[in-house]
Amino acid sequence: MPDPTLSIPVPSEDPKLKKKEESESNDAKQKQKGEKEQEDLSEEDLQLKNELEMLVERLRESDIDLYRPALETLRTLIRTSTSSMTSVPKPLKFLHPHYPELQQLYETWPKSDDKSLFADILSVLAMTYSDTQPRGTLRYRLLAAQLLPEGSASLSEPGSWGHEYVRHLAAELSEEYTFREQEEQLEMKTTVGSIDDLKLLATQCAAFLLGHNAEPDAVDLLQELEIADTLVDLVDENTYARVCLYIIRCVNFLPPPDDVSFLETAHNIYVKHQRWPEAIALAIRLGRPALIREDFGSPGNPIMKRQLALILARAQTPLEWLQVPNEDSDTTEELPEDVVECLSNSKLSTQFKEFGKELGVLEPKSLEDVYKSHLENSRATSNIDSARGNLASTFVNAFVNAGFGNDKLMVQAEEGNSWIYKNKDHGMMSAAASLGLSLLWDTDVGLTHVDKYTYSSEEHIKAGALLATGILNTNVRTEADAALALLSDYIENKSVSLRTSAITGLGLAYAGSHREDLMGLLLPVVADDSLSMEIISLAALSLGFIFVGSGNGEVASTILQVMMERDDKALDEKWGRFLSLGLALLYLGQPETSDATIITLKAIEHPIAKQADVLVNMCSAAGTGDVLKVQKLLHHCEDHYEKKESEKESDEDKKDEKDVDDTFQGFAVIGIALIAMGEDIGAEMSLRQFNHLMHYGEPTIRKAVPLALGLISVSNPQLNIMDTLSKYSHDNDLAVALNAIFAMGLIGAGTNNARLAQMLRQLAGYYYKEPDCLFMVRIAQGLVHMGKGTLTLYPYFFDRTIMSRTAVAGLLATLITFTDAKSFVLDKYHWMLYYLVPAMYPRFMITLDEDLKNLPVTVRVGQAVEVVGQAGKPRTISGFQTHTSPVRLGTTERAELATEEYIPYAHVLEGCVILKKNPGYEDKMDI
């Protein structure tokens, strides 16, 4: 039998003590705590505590003469106290209980010098009460300044109270400034100090922070108070470099117009300290001709001028921007011949070939070297369209041997046995044009090779030769202006293919030149109502290339006029997208000038206006990382334009409506990538959006997602993007798969990436029965091995800070073509792949002596490391290898000189860098 159990009730809370007992226990606890504290204090601390209490007592007395000495002693004790990172300074700790009492005492004092000092001391003590009395430190600091009688000595600098005080004050200043701005909006009255007082105090704090290696804090404070431009006078030769580096990195995270004003501030600092390469780089980013001209004309050193000219040549800056007008006459001052040579990139071909020779890639690559078909699945060879295969080989050969001018299919082919004749009809045009890509930048030799085909009786070959003339002059300027002389004759030709080739050739050859004479040539073509949309749209696109980022009103108004006046049937054609793109390219990187055009587009009823609106918006914000613009583009993508009210209409009407409605959504997807590609965080965030769009988007959107992925990581094969595209390349929708394959070529362009090459070989086996997909796999293989690994399509340069507008224009034109690949690239307009040419540039770093001759030096090449805000002089690269220049630089790599024997004129070692001998260098081996 179990034992009997007894239940005992247990309360959930302790029984409450009687009030008397409770108060007694509290008193006892306080007493114990006080005694324990007294025991814990050392003799020295106890003495300090007693002294501080005595000084507080003095301030309570009626004898006014005692106030000043007591306050002076208090100030000295607080200032001389030291503290560790984890503890509060002793005087502040001991004075903390007396703070409310001192506040009351302060209110009773009359206005005087002593009261000002008292307020200054209370300002420091207020740091210990910041949680209960916000902005107390700032309030008393401003009161201390106000209470100073006229003619007396100014208030001590905030820095005299120590670093922590200044940081506290800086935090409260930004809070107070925001609060005051809200008050202004609500028309409320503030109590202490004006906005100007806050700005003055902020400037004092910033000066202290700059002098104590806290440059980011100083910049942030001045930015909060909207006086960042005062930095120009605050920085000195020791701090300007770190300040500017931080400012430039902040630009990506600032909303307009703060981003532009920040760049202007950094530019002014560089100019003040005569750092011309850095200054001109920012002037190019701002896209201001007057600034570029001023910076270019400032240095007196002719060698520095040459270096600046090389930087401007890389950015494709129009020569007209640099010519200083004569005050006496209408003419302009001629630039020195050596500077013009640097500006026109005339030695680019020679330098590129020498670079190839150094790397051992001068020998031409055959198609088999690229395809490696012995590694493919053996069945891939059967059932292939030979004409389509030959066409693919044309492009692969051109891309792989681009710039070297020695490929075996075209340049070195025997007379009458040229690869051109192994193609059919329009294939001949692309084959003849590929000659221009093989001889890229080599204007002298190139023209002699191309010239013989301009006399061909076959129209397609002749058209290809005209396009080749434009291609080989891309990114290079010559005095002879051969491209203009040869192509201008065909602008009025009756043959459509000759006419379009000449127009496109001019657009490529003079991309970014802003030449007025070309406008006079092409604008009448755009305005001519009798011409087909194909000719008008390609002429508009060429004008977009030539005047890229110029905001040219004349070109814009003519294109808008065409959109308003042409009938709906013409605007419905597939060519309409290039008309819109031509307009949008005028505003590339120019957000402030595009507003009027966007408003005008809203007045046009035809759906082409919607496409143009999206394109203009995305181009104007290209590379800015503007979050609001990205959100706006995402809104365009959320609508589903399928079978709504149109069900009752005929099939044809439905089809038309769907085509019109969808197109702008595809552009919006590419636009997200275009805006986000300027900075890494935005680019990473956009990948998630693309994933969602791929899952929930309409076919047009899904088709554009791979293109956007290709743009956001062009010539930079990141593993996650590579795997995503590999997945999309097996999509059920062949249009998506096709674009994914092309995007794989884009992300690996010019990298020789082995993993990508293997993926593409597998795809060649997988799509052996799909001629279109197989054709695209071959194109992608050609892109991955572009220039035998020496070229890049990446549109940023100068340590990934400056966006090349011509390169972005080329990439955009190609991607817009792929939004309807079936109608263009897979039809007879495959030559549109050559729109990539303006984006092609050597990925080299060549060191030159002061006479612009090659100067081999030892350099380290490694992965670029972010060093903004880091203390000391941290290494800017990691995992480096040491080479002798010239060297090849990857998209995310950076180079630095291994020794101090030479000093570079440019601060970024990229492209062509001029070096000068370091006069103070002594070789350790000689000592």
mmCIF file of all heavy atoms in Angstrom, residues 366-388:
data_model
loop_
_atom_site.group_PDB
_atom_site.id
_atom_site.type_symbol
_atom_site.label_atom_id
_atom_site.label_comp_id
_atom_site.label_asym_id
_atom_site.label_seq_id
_atom_site.Cartn_x
_atom_site.Cartn_y
_atom_site.Cartn_z
ATOM 1 N N SER A 366 43.730 28.616 -84.323
ATOM 2 C CA SER A 366 42.790 28.026 -85.285
ATOM 3 C C SER A 366 41.463 27.750 -84.578
ATOM 4 O O SER A 366 41.381 27.790 -83.350
ATOM 5 C CB SER A 366 43.366 26.726 -85.848
ATOM 6 O OG SER A 366 43.396 25.759 -84.808
ATOM 7 N N LEU A 367 40.442 27.452 -85.365
ATOM 8 C CA LEU A 367 39.119 27.193 -84.786
ATOM 9 C C LEU A 367 39.141 25.964 -83.889
ATOM 10 O O LEU A 367 38.490 25.931 -82.847
ATOM 11 C CB LEU A 367 38.095 26.997 -85.912
ATOM 12 C CG LEU A 367 37.863 28.216 -86.817
ATOM 13 C CD1 LEU A 367 37.015 27.848 -88.002
ATOM 14 C CD2 LEU A 367 37.197 29.327 -86.015
ATOM 15 N N GLU A 368 39.921 24.964 -84.291
ATOM 16 C CA GLU A 368 39.981 23.731 -83.503
ATOM 17 C C GLU A 368 40.585 23.986 -82.117
ATOM 18 O O GLU A 368 40.207 23.350 -81.139
ATOM 19 C CB GLU A 368 40.794 22.676 -84.277
ATOM 20 C CG GLU A 368 40.773 21.273 -83.678
ATOM 21 C CD GLU A 368 39.376 20.771 -83.325
ATOM 22 O OE1 GLU A 368 38.420 20.983 -84.104
ATOM 23 O OE2 GLU A 368 39.235 20.180 -82.248
ATOM 24 N N ASP A 369 41.512 24.951 -82.047
ATOM 25 C CA ASP A 369 42.100 25.306 -80.736
ATOM 26 C C ASP A 369 41.031 25.822 -79.783
ATOM 27 O O ASP A 369 41.161 25.706 -78.563
ATOM 28 C CB ASP A 369 43.171 26.401 -80.900
ATOM 29 C CG ASP A 369 44.381 25.907 -81.677
ATOM 30 O OD1 ASP A 369 44.573 24.679 -81.712
ATOM 31 O OD2 ASP A 369 45.102 26.737 -82.256
ATOM 32 N N VAL A 370 40.007 26.440 -80.351
ATOM 33 C CA VAL A 370 38.933 27.003 -79.525
ATOM 34 C C VAL A 370 37.854 25.963 -79.251
ATOM 35 O O VAL A 370 37.446 25.753 -78.111
ATOM 36 C CB VAL A 370 38.306 28.231 -80.224
ATOM 37 C CG1 VAL A 370 37.138 28.788 -79.408
ATOM 38 C CG2 VAL A 370 39.347 29.296 -80.463
ATOM 39 N N TYR A 371 37.396 25.268 -80.312
ATOM 40 C CA TYR A 371 36.292 24.309 -80.156
ATOM 41 C C TYR A 371 36.704 23.077 -79.355
ATOM 42 O O TYR A 371 35.930 22.560 -78.570
ATOM 43 C CB TYR A 371 35.775 23.850 -81.524
ATOM 44 C CG TYR A 371 35.148 24.919 -82.371
ATOM 45 C CD1 TYR A 371 34.987 24.747 -83.749
ATOM 46 C CD2 TYR A 371 34.673 26.108 -81.815
ATOM 47 C CE1 TYR A 371 34.394 25.712 -84.545
ATOM 48 C CE2 TYR A 371 34.085 27.076 -82.607
ATOM 49 C CZ TYR A 371 33.954 26.874 -83.963
ATOM 50 O OH TYR A 371 33.373 27.837 -84.733
ATOM 51 N N LYS A 372 37.931 22.601 -79.616
ATOM 52 C CA LYS A 372 38.417 21.347 -79.008
ATOM 53 C C LYS A 372 37.356 20.262 -79.160
ATOM 54 O O LYS A 372 36.930 19.639 -78.194
ATOM 55 C CB LYS A 372 38.767 21.558 -77.528
ATOM 56 C CG LYS A 372 39.967 22.496 -77.372
ATOM 57 C CD LYS A 372 40.451 22.560 -75.958
ATOM 58 C CE LYS A 372 41.689 23.435 -75.897
ATOM 59 N NZ LYS A 372 41.842 24.190 -74.700
ATOM 60 N N SER A 373 36.919 20.067 -80.395
ATOM 61 C CA SER A 373 35.791 19.163 -80.635
ATOM 62 C C SER A 373 36.102 17.713 -80.272
ATOM 63 O O SER A 373 35.188 16.925 -80.085
ATOM 64 C CB SER A 373 35.303 19.264 -82.080
ATOM 65 O OG SER A 373 36.366 19.456 -82.964
ATOM 66 N N HIS A 374 37.390 17.370 -80.148
ATOM 67 C CA HIS A 374 37.714 15.992 -79.739
ATOM 68 C C HIS A 374 37.269 15.734 -78.294
ATOM 69 O O HIS A 374 37.115 14.594 -77.877
ATOM 70 C CB HIS A 374 39.225 15.720 -79.889
ATOM 71 C CG HIS A 374 40.077 16.603 -79.042
ATOM 72 N ND1 HIS A 374 40.346 17.910 -79.398
ATOM 73 C CD2 HIS A 374 40.704 16.397 -77.856
ATOM 74 C CE1 HIS A 374 41.115 18.465 -78.461
ATOM 75 N NE2 HIS A 374 41.333 17.568 -77.510
ATOM 76 N N LEU A 375 37.045 16.840 -77.531
ATOM 77 C CA LEU A 375 36.575 16.672 -76.159
ATOM 78 C C LEU A 375 35.048 16.705 -76.078
ATOM 79 O O LEU A 375 34.465 16.434 -75.036
ATOM 80 C CB LEU A 375 37.131 17.803 -75.270
ATOM 81 C CG LEU A 375 38.652 17.859 -75.126
ATOM 82 C CD1 LEU A 375 39.054 19.113 -74.391
ATOM 83 C CD2 LEU A 375 39.172 16.632 -74.404
ATOM 84 N N GLU A 376 34.415 17.073 -77.198
ATOM 85 C CA GLU A 376 32.946 17.112 -77.214
ATOM 86 C C GLU A 376 32.389 15.713 -77.429
ATOM 87 O O GLU A 376 33.097 14.800 -77.819
ATOM 88 C CB GLU A 376 32.452 18.017 -78.361
ATOM 89 C CG GLU A 376 32.680 19.481 -78.132
ATOM 90 C CD GLU A 376 32.244 20.294 -79.347
ATOM 91 O OE1 GLU A 376 31.530 19.745 -80.209
ATOM 92 O OE2 GLU A 376 32.639 21.466 -79.433
ATOM 93 N N ASN A 377 31.086 15.589 -77.215
ATOM 94 C CA ASN A 377 30.394 14.338 -77.508
ATOM 95 C C ASN A 377 30.470 14.091 -79.017
ATOM 96 O O ASN A 377 30.188 14.981 -79.812
ATOM 97 C CB ASN A 377 28.928 14.495 -77.056
ATOM 98 C CG ASN A 377 28.234 13.158 -77.021
ATOM 99 O OD1 ASN A 377 28.513 12.284 -77.826
ATOM 100 N ND2 ASN A 377 27.322 13.008 -76.069
ATOM 101 N N SER A 378 30.824 12.888 -79.431
ATOM 102 C CA SER A 378 31.104 12.604 -80.840
ATOM 103 C C SER A 378 29.903 12.844 -81.755
ATOM 104 O O SER A 378 30.050 13.165 -82.912
ATOM 105 C CB SER A 378 31.571 11.154 -81.005
ATOM 106 O OG SER A 378 30.576 10.296 -80.469
ATOM 107 N N ARG A 379 28.668 12.704 -81.204
ATOM 108 C CA ARG A 379 27.477 12.856 -82.057
ATOM 109 C C ARG A 379 27.290 14.298 -82.523
ATOM 110 O O ARG A 379 26.516 14.574 -83.420
ATOM 111 C CB ARG A 379 26.233 12.394 -81.304
ATOM 112 C CG ARG A 379 25.952 13.239 -80.079
ATOM 113 C CD ARG A 379 24.786 12.725 -79.276
ATOM 114 N NE ARG A 379 24.609 13.581 -78.103
ATOM 115 C CZ ARG A 379 23.600 13.480 -77.277
ATOM 116 N NH1 ARG A 379 22.683 12.564 -77.465
ATOM 117 N NH2 ARG A 379 23.497 14.279 -76.237
ATOM 118 N N ALA A 380 27.994 15.233 -81.862
ATOM 119 C CA ALA A 380 27.779 16.654 -82.164
ATOM 120 C C ALA A 380 28.106 17.010 -83.610
ATOM 121 O O ALA A 380 27.674 18.033 -84.102
ATOM 122 C CB ALA A 380 28.620 17.512 -81.223
ATOM 123 N N THR A 381 28.887 16.191 -84.267
ATOM 124 C CA THR A 381 29.320 16.551 -85.624
ATOM 125 C C THR A 381 28.236 16.287 -86.666
ATOM 126 O O THR A 381 28.240 16.880 -87.723
ATOM 127 C CB THR A 381 30.575 15.755 -86.003
ATOM 128 O OG1 THR A 381 30.300 14.369 -85.753
ATOM 129 C CG2 THR A 381 31.761 16.215 -85.189
ATOM 130 N N SER A 382 27.306 15.387 -86.365
ATOM 131 C CA SER A 382 26.295 15.031 -87.374
ATOM 132 C C SER A 382 25.216 16.110 -87.483
ATOM 133 O O SER A 382 25.018 16.903 -86.576
ATOM 134 C CB SER A 382 25.649 13.697 -86.979
ATOM 135 O OG SER A 382 24.994 13.848 -85.735
ATOM 136 N N ASN A 383 24.513 16.088 -88.590
ATOM 137 C CA ASN A 383 23.354 16.955 -88.817
ATOM 138 C C ASN A 383 23.640 18.437 -88.539
ATOM 139 O O ASN A 383 22.941 19.070 -87.780
ATOM 140 C CB ASN A 383 22.188 16.445 -87.938
ATOM 141 C CG ASN A 383 20.888 17.141 -88.289
ATOM 142 O OD1 ASN A 383 20.728 17.615 -89.416
ATOM 143 N ND2 ASN A 383 19.986 17.209 -87.335
ATOM 144 N N ILE A 384 24.661 18.944 -89.136
ATOM 145 C CA ILE A 384 24.993 20.358 -88.895
ATOM 146 C C ILE A 384 24.798 21.151 -90.183
ATOM 147 O O ILE A 384 25.084 20.652 -91.272
ATOM 148 C CB ILE A 384 26.434 20.489 -88.360
ATOM 149 C CG1 ILE A 384 26.571 21.757 -87.537
ATOM 150 C CG2 ILE A 384 27.462 20.504 -89.465
ATOM 151 C CD1 ILE A 384 27.772 21.740 -86.638
ATOM 152 N N ASP A 385 24.280 22.339 -90.043
ATOM 153 C CA ASP A 385 24.085 23.224 -91.193
ATOM 154 C C ASP A 385 25.431 23.865 -91.501
ATOM 155 O O ASP A 385 25.943 24.666 -90.723
ATOM 156 C CB ASP A 385 23.031 24.279 -90.798
ATOM 157 C CG ASP A 385 22.804 25.295 -91.914
ATOM 158 O OD1 ASP A 385 23.465 25.170 -92.952
ATOM 159 O OD2 ASP A 385 21.955 26.191 -91.728
ATOM 160 N N SER A 386 26.017 23.489 -92.643
ATOM 161 C CA SER A 386 27.391 23.937 -92.917
ATOM 162 C C SER A 386 27.475 25.460 -93.055
ATOM 163 O O SER A 386 28.439 26.074 -92.606
ATOM 164 C CB SER A 386 27.934 23.263 -94.167
ATOM 165 O OG SER A 386 27.194 23.683 -95.295
ATOM 166 N N ALA A 387 26.451 26.085 -93.668
ATOM 167 C CA ALA A 387 26.487 27.544 -93.835
ATOM 168 C C ALA A 387 26.453 28.218 -92.468
ATOM 169 O O ALA A 387 27.202 29.162 -92.201
ATOM 170 C CB ALA A 387 25.308 28.008 -94.675
ATOM 171 N N ARG A 388 25.579 27.707 -91.572
ATOM 172 C CA ARG A 388 25.481 28.268 -90.227
ATOM 173 C C ARG A 388 26.783 28.012 -89.449
ATOM 174 O O ARG A 388 27.268 28.866 -88.719
ATOM 175 C CB ARG A 388 24.269 27.623 -89.520
ATOM 176 C CG ARG A 388 23.961 28.111 -88.113
ATOM 177 C CD ARG A 388 23.808 29.612 -88.026
ATOM 178 N NE ARG A 388 22.626 30.133 -88.672
ATOM 179 C CZ ARG A 388 21.468 30.328 -88.046
ATOM 180 N NH1 ARG A 388 21.330 30.027 -86.789
ATOM 181 N NH2 ARG A 388 20.451 30.836 -88.690
#
